[in-house]
């Protein structure tokens, strides 16, 4: 992107993005940084190794695109302005590698035919001139492309894998071993091609996320629709999504009903029924109904675009393992090169070993000195893990956060909207004084119809679900913090809490005992009465989320030693919820007498203090929440996790990880996935370092060959990348039996029996 004209040095830095060919590992990044440091006005750069993408921040008054491209060339690479087109297949390099491989095979065949014995042909001993010409052709075909990069490394005094390979190939030629030189060159070329193919699989997994969103939308204007690019659709516009089409942008349904498949974004295998007022995600597949949407996010800010962007930019949030590998690589190469120099000089001087033997051992060490296979294995693992998590409906906002859940031993939960649905529903209606359920609902819905209180909304919704029409109410007015009242057929009727009933002095001892019992169970009670008597009770509850109990039990099984409930609600409700989840625990705050520790009556700032306290006592703490008041605690925790299904935008932006579906079963899945990722990263590091150590020891002992060294380096590179690619196959949890309809079913119109729990 070109910077606008008229900028001054005091303005914000501009940015140019390039596709860089030959930017394969951290060594190239270091060379690019050194090259750009000499460019006037250079500020910073961001690198996506997997995509070959370079973002350069600079002062447009002091530098331009030409200067930036020159810096890339100075580092020995070739750059071009970034486009979203996929990387072109490197047909020339593929062809040269194939030519080199065929030339080696042909040379061996010629040698075999000339001498009549296979073993000398495989060893390259006394090769005829025709075979040597074929080996030289293999070297030229595969080592030729390395020379410009090797020369750039010499000029910048920063040895890289290309210089090391050219040195090894040249050394083998000087020693007269053309077959060895050709084998090293061809194996190295093949390793680069195989590595590019393997890394391409991870890149394609990320690119697949972007393909979920269609490129156009049917924009509605004056009742007519016409197709436009999604980039042209503004927030607030209306679009039509026909049956069988993908939702183009995030929005809210204003007309129509349909079942939507949101599995690419949330990981949920079942379709979700949605209607007016419900939110939908870009990339979801519409079912049999036509939908009209009001767009809530532009294309660049849609859920699917944010997921793809965060996954592809994961390298900016590097994990501890990746930082360790980079620090190790900075020390490893100069140490091994020093060993190579020592292996060349010391044996002839101290042990009367021939210079040719010691030179050969030094060449083997040069081959194994490049740490690129080790460096690339960790970011490939991270990106594969992030892409797999995104497909399971778990959005992880960077490589650093994929490792954190594996280290957690303590997890804190908000209550309302996190462990519960956040939507109070009527679970019981108790009529008194000869009233029935429908009569109570008619009166209560008439008084509460204008209220915005969640409990009032639950009563009105329940009446509507049962087909109960509101009574005719007059002089309705709210009683702030207490309830509401109005006249029904001329008589005053009121609705409110237990405190209102006590204020009015109409409570009987039996009613008091019943209300205390319900409140101890964590229920919310709304009372309907007149000046003459109490007409009945509405018992409401914020039900636990589906599978919440199973998720907590699985977390305990995974070894999370401390699960803590943080809520601003009263202690009775909190402990009642813990009991319903089968996790009733300590009430003294120690967390040592049961599986769930309860901390109740907490304001947002107090939650922060509790997170700090838990961190000091239990190590890294994760926080799971969904509301604005959870944002400070989410930010303060070692890893903040938001339930995206019902979470506020503030919580989603603050959290490090977002569970898009709001399914709590994704929490144990996340912990397991994080542990598996960390295990694979550690396996890769151990194998990569271990194989190199073995080859180094063998080289110093005189038992390693150049082709074996390059084969080992290529083999370990392929092994660690293949091991990382296993993370792409990580599967989300299966859907449980049963549906959510049961928990949302209304109370029977006949009403429950009084006194039922």
């Amino acid at each position: 992107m070109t910077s606008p004209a008229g900028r001054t040095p005091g303005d914000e830095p501009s940015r140019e993005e390039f596709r860089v060919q030959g930017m394969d590992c951290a060594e190239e990044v270091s060379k690019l940084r050194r090259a750009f440091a000499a460019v006037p006005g250079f500020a910073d750069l961001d690198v996506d190794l997997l995509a070959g993408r370079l973002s350069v921040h600079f002062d447009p008054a002091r530098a331009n695109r030409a200067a930036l491209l020159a810096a890339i060339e100075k580092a020995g690479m070739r750059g071009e302005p970034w486009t979203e087109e996929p990387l072109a297949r490197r047909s020339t390099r593929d062809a040269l590698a194939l030519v080199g491989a065929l030339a080696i095979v042909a040379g061996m065949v010629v040698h075999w035919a000339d001498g009549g014995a296979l073993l000398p042909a495989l060893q390259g001993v006394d090769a005829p001139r025709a075979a040597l010409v074929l080996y030289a052709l293999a070297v030229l075909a595969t080592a030729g492309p390395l020379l410009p990069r090797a020369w750039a490394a010499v000029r910048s005094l920063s040895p890289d894998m290309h210089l090391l390979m050219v040195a090894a190939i040249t050394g083998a030629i000087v020693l007269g071993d053309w077959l060895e030189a050709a084998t090293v060159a061809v194996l190295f070329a093949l390793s680069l091609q195989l590595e590019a193919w393997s890394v391409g699989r991870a890149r394609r997994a990320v690119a697949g996320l972007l393909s979920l969103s269609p490129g156009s939308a049917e924009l509605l204007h004056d009742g007519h629709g016409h197709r436009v690019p999604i980039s042209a659709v503004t927030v607030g516009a209306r679009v039509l999504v026909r049956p069988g089409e993908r939702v183009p942008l995030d929005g809210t349904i204003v007309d129509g009903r349909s079942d939507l498949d949101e599995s690419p974004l949330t990981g949920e295998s079942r379709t979700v029924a949605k209607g007016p007022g419900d939110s939908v995600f870009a990339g979801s597949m519409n079912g049999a109904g036509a939908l009209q949407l009001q767009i809530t996010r532009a294309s660049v800010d849609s859920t699917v675009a944010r997921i793809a962007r965060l996954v592809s930019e994961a390298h900016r949030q590097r994990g501890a393992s990746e930082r360790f590998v980079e620090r190790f690589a900075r020390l490893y190469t100069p140490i091994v090169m020093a060993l190579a120099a020592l292996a060349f000089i010391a044996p002839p001087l101290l042990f009367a070993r021939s210079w040719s033997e010691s030179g050969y051992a030094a060449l083997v060490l040069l081959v194994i000195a490049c740490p690129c296979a080790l460096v690339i294995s960790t970011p490939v693992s991270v990106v594969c893990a992030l892409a797999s998590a995104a497909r399971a409906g778990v959005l992880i906002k960077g490589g650093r956060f994929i490792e954190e859940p594996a280290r957690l031993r303590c997890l804190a939960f908000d209550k309302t909207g996190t462990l519960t649905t956040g939507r109070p529903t009527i679970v019981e209606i108790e009529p008194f004084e000869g009233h029935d359920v429908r009569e109570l609902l008619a009166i209560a819905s008439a008084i509460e119809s204008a209220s915005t209180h969640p409990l009032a909304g639950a009563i009105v919704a329940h009446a509507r679900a049962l087909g109960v029409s509101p009574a005719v109410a007059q002089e309705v007015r709210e009683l702030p913090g207490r309830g509401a009242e109005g006249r029904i057929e001329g008589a005053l009727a009121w609705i409110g809490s237990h405190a209102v009933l006590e204020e009015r002095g109409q409570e009987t001892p039996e009613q008091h005992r019943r209300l205390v019992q319900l409140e101890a169970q964590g229920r919310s009670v709304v009372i309907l009465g007149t000046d003459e008597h109490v007409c009945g009770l509405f018992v409401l509850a914020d039900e636990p989320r589906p599978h919440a109990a199973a998720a907590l039990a699985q977390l305990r099984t995974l070894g999370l030693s401390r699960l803590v409930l943080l809520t601003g609600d009263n202690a009775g409700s909190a402990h009642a919820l813990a009991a319903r989840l089968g996790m009733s625990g300590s009430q003294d705050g120690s967390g040592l007498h049961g599986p769930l520790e309860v901390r109740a009556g907490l304001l947002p700032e107090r939650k922060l203090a509790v997170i700090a306290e838990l961190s000091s006592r239990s190590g890294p703490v994760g926080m799971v929440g969904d509301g604005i008041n959870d944002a400070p605690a989410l930010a303060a925790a070692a890893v903040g996790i938001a339930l995206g299904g019902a979470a506020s935008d503030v919580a989603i932006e603050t959290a490090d990880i977002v569970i898009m579906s709001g399914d709590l079963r994704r929490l144990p899945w996340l912990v397991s996935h994080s542990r598996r990722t960390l295990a694979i990263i550690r396996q890769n590091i151990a194998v990569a370092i271990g194989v190199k150590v073995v080859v180094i020891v063998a080289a110093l002992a005189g038992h390693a060959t150049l082709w074996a060294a390059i084969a080992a380096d290529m083999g370990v590179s392929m092994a660690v990348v293949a091991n990382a690619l296993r993370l792409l196959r990580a599967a989300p949890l299966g859907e449980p039996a049963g549906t959510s309809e049961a928990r949302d079913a209304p109370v029977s119109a006949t009403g429950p029996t009084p006194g039922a729990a």
Side-chain angles (χ1 to χ4, degrees):
M1 59 188 71
T2 308
S3 56
R7 303 272 311 254
T8 64
D11 291 335
E12 289 294 319
S14 185
R15 184 179 71 167
E16 286 272 6
E17 292 189 333
F18 302 97
R19 188 187 306 281
V20 180
Q21 295 186 15
M23 186 174 65
D24 300 314
C25 87
E27 282 194 82
E28 276 81 11
V29 177
S30 298
K31 291 201 291 187
L32 284 167
R33 289 190 181 277
R34 287 193 291 271
F36 277 109
V39 176
F42 168 71
D44 195 11
L45 58 83
D46 294 317
V47 179
D48 184 350
L49 281 176
L50 294 177
R53 184 173 187 163
L54 179 69
S55 299
V56 185
H57 302 267
F58 64 99
D59 181 354
R62 303 174 61 195
N64 54 30
R65 178 180 291 176
L68 303 180
L69 287 170
I72 296 174
E73 291 182 7
K74 182 180 178 182
M77 286 159 264
R78 187 160 62 88
E80 58 186 31
W82 176 264
T83 64
E84 295 298 335
E85 295 297 319
L87 282 171
R89 189 172 179 269
R90 294 185 283 187
S91 55
T92 302
R93 187 175 292 184
D94 291 345
L96 290 175
L98 179 60
V99 167
L102 292 175
I104 287 180
V105 173
M108 289 181 177
V109 171
V110 169
H111 191 173
W112 184 12
D114 180 76
L118 178 61
L119 186 59
L122 295 177
Q123 294 175 337
V125 178
D126 297 327
R129 184 177 298 276
L132 293 178
V133 170
L134 289 169
Y135 297 151
L137 174 63
V139 170
L140 290 174
T142 52
L146 303 180
L147 294 176
R149 302 285 298 277
W151 175 241
V154 171
R155 287 190 305 167
S156 61
L157 300 178
S158 56
D160 64 0
M161 63 178 180
H162 302 87
L163 178 58
L164 297 178
M165 290 301 148
V166 168
I169 293 166
T170 303
I173 292 173
V174 169
L175 294 174
D177 199 336
W178 282 90
L179 175 58
E180 191 95 35
T183 304
V184 169
V186 170
L187 285 177
F188 182 65
L190 289 175
S191 73
L192 291 179
Q193 299 307 97
L194 289 172
E195 186 177 274
W197 172 82
S198 301
V199 171
R201 279 198 61 193
R203 183 187 300 127
R204 288 190 294 273
V206 175
L209 294 172
L210 282 172
S211 67
L212 293 174
S213 181
S216 64
E218 187 168 351
L219 186 66
L220 293 176
H221 184 67
D222 294 333
H224 300 286
H226 59 283
R227 284 276 167 187
V228 297
I230 59 172
S231 59
V233 181
T234 58
V235 174
R238 288 199 178 193
V239 301
L240 176 65
V241 183
R242 298 182 183 276
E245 292 183 343
R246 285 199 181 274
V247 175
L249 297 158
D250 291 0
T252 302
I253 298 175
V254 293
D255 187 34
R257 294 184 179 274
S258 186
D259 293 330
L260 282 87
D261 177 7
E262 297 178 336
S263 57
L265 297 160
T266 67
E268 296 289 348
S269 60
R270 293 179 302 165
T271 58
V272 182
K274 296 201 173 187
D278 291 331
S279 297
V280 295
F281 299 127
S284 304
M285 180 64 76
N286 188 23
L291 299 175
Q292 287 190 26
L293 309 181
Q294 183 169 16
I295 301 307
T296 55
R297 286 195 179 98
S299 60
V300 294
D301 295 321
S302 71
T303 301
V304 65
R306 291 159 73 194
I307 290 175
R309 184 166 60 247
L310 288 167
V311 172
S312 65
E313 295 177 354
H315 60 281
R316 299 184 185 182
Q317 292 281 357
R318 295 176 299 166
S321 300
E322 191 171 353
R323 292 194 298 270
F324 162 76
V325 167
E326 290 189 5
R327 289 195 301 269
F328 178 85
R330 283 196 296 268
L331 297 174
Y332 171 80
T333 299
I335 289 174
V336 176
M337 291 185 69
L339 279 176
L342 187 64
F344 178 63
I345 296 171
L349 297 179
L350 301 178
F351 306 109
R353 192 175 177 182
S354 70
W355 285 100
S356 62
E357 289 179 335
S358 63
Y360 190 86
L363 292 178
V364 173
L365 287 173
L366 287 179
V367 169
I368 208 68
C370 178
C372 209
L374 170 66
V375 172
I376 196 64
S377 66
T378 304
V380 171
S381 301
V382 168
V383 171
C384 288
L386 295 176
S388 177
R391 289 206 300 256
V394 180
L395 172 57
I396 303 173
K397 298 183 180 179
R400 179 164 69 89
F401 305 117
I402 188 61
E403 297 183 21
E404 290 298 332
R407 301 187 175 97
L408 294 178
R409 291 297 177 268
C410 177
L411 199 56
F413 296 85
D414 173 51
K415 173 179 171 285
T416 304
T418 301
L419 289 178
T420 69
T421 63
R423 300 186 306 272
T425 56
I426 292 180
V427 296
E428 194 171 339
I429 301 175
E430 297 186 17
F432 300 149
E433 303 293 338
H435 295 281
D436 62 29
V437 169
R438 299 184 71 85
E439 183 183 2
L440 294 182
L441 284 170
I443 298 172
S445 61
I447 299 174
E448 297 279 41
S449 59
S451 175
T452 59
H453 195 282
L455 297 181
I459 292 172
V460 173
H462 193 71
R464 188 181 300 118
L466 293 181
V468 176
S469 300
V472 178
Q474 297 175 328
E475 300 178 21
V476 176
R477 66 187 185 96
E478 284 200 45
L479 306 174
R482 297 167 65 239
E485 64 181 19
R487 292 193 175 276
I488 308 294
E489 297 181 355
L492 182 67
W494 58 270
I495 191 166
S497 64
H498 187 184
V500 174
L501 177 60
E502 290 178 333
E503 288 176 10
R504 296 183 67 89
Q506 294 179 265
E507 184 180 44
T508 67
E510 292 79 9
Q511 291 169 353
H512 180 78
R513 284 193 294 270
R514 178 62 178 146
L515 291 169
V516 170
Q517 178 191 24
L518 290 169
E519 289 167 352
Q521 295 173 357
R523 307 298 197 187
S524 298
V525 183
V526 176
I527 303 151
L528 177 66
T530 66
D531 286 336
E532 298 177 356
H533 57 256
V534 174
C535 302
L537 308 177
F538 297 93
V539 184
L540 299 96
D542 185 3
E543 293 293 285
R545 277 184 180 266
H547 323 304
L552 294 176
Q554 287 178 325
L555 289 168
R556 176 67 62 186
T557 302
L558 288 171
L560 274 79
S561 58
R562 202 167 188 185
L563 303 177
V564 187
L565 174 60
L566 308 181
T567 178
D569 210 342
N570 62 75
S573 295
H575 284 288
L577 174 64
R580 295 192 66 189
L581 294 174
M583 303 288 284
S584 183
S586 64
Q587 299 190 24
D588 61 359
S590 67
L592 302 176
H593 307 303
L596 186 64
E597 175 183 338
V598 173
R599 302 290 187 94
L602 301 178
L603 295 174
E605 57 269 23
R606 180 56 187 157
K607 287 185 179 181
L608 272 178
V610 173
I611 292 292
E613 173 202 332
L614 294 173
S615 299
S616 64
R617 293 170 57 183
S618 304
V621 175
M623 174 67 192
V624 187
D626 74 305
I628 294 175
N629 62 339
D630 298 323
L634 289 170
V639 56
I641 304 171
L643 295 185
S648 69
D649 285 344
V650 173
I652 290 175
E653 292 300 326
T654 304
D656 308 310
I657 298 173
V658 181
I659 298 177
M660 299 302 298
S661 66
D663 187 345
L664 285 169
R665 291 174 302 162
R666 294 295 188 271
L667 285 172
W669 183 92
L670 171 64
V671 172
S672 298
H673 184 58
S674 175
R675 291 178 181 177
R676 182 168 180 247
T677 301
L678 198 55
I680 284 179
I681 289 174
R682 288 170 175 169
Q683 291 166 12
N684 287 349
I685 293 172
V687 169
I689 294 176
V691 170
K692 288 181 179 293
V693 169
V694 168
V695 175
I696 289 171
V697 172
L700 293 175
H703 300 303
T705 63
L706 273 176
W707 70 265
I710 188 64
D713 195 56
M714 180 182 72
V716 73
S717 177
M718 293 302 98
V720 297
V721 172
N723 195 32
L725 291 175
R726 291 194 299 126
L727 288 166
L728 287 175
R729 298 195 299 270
L733 295 177
E735 287 293 316
T739 62
S740 61
E741 282 78 5
R743 73 174 185 276
D744 296 325
V747 177
S748 169
T750 58
T753 55

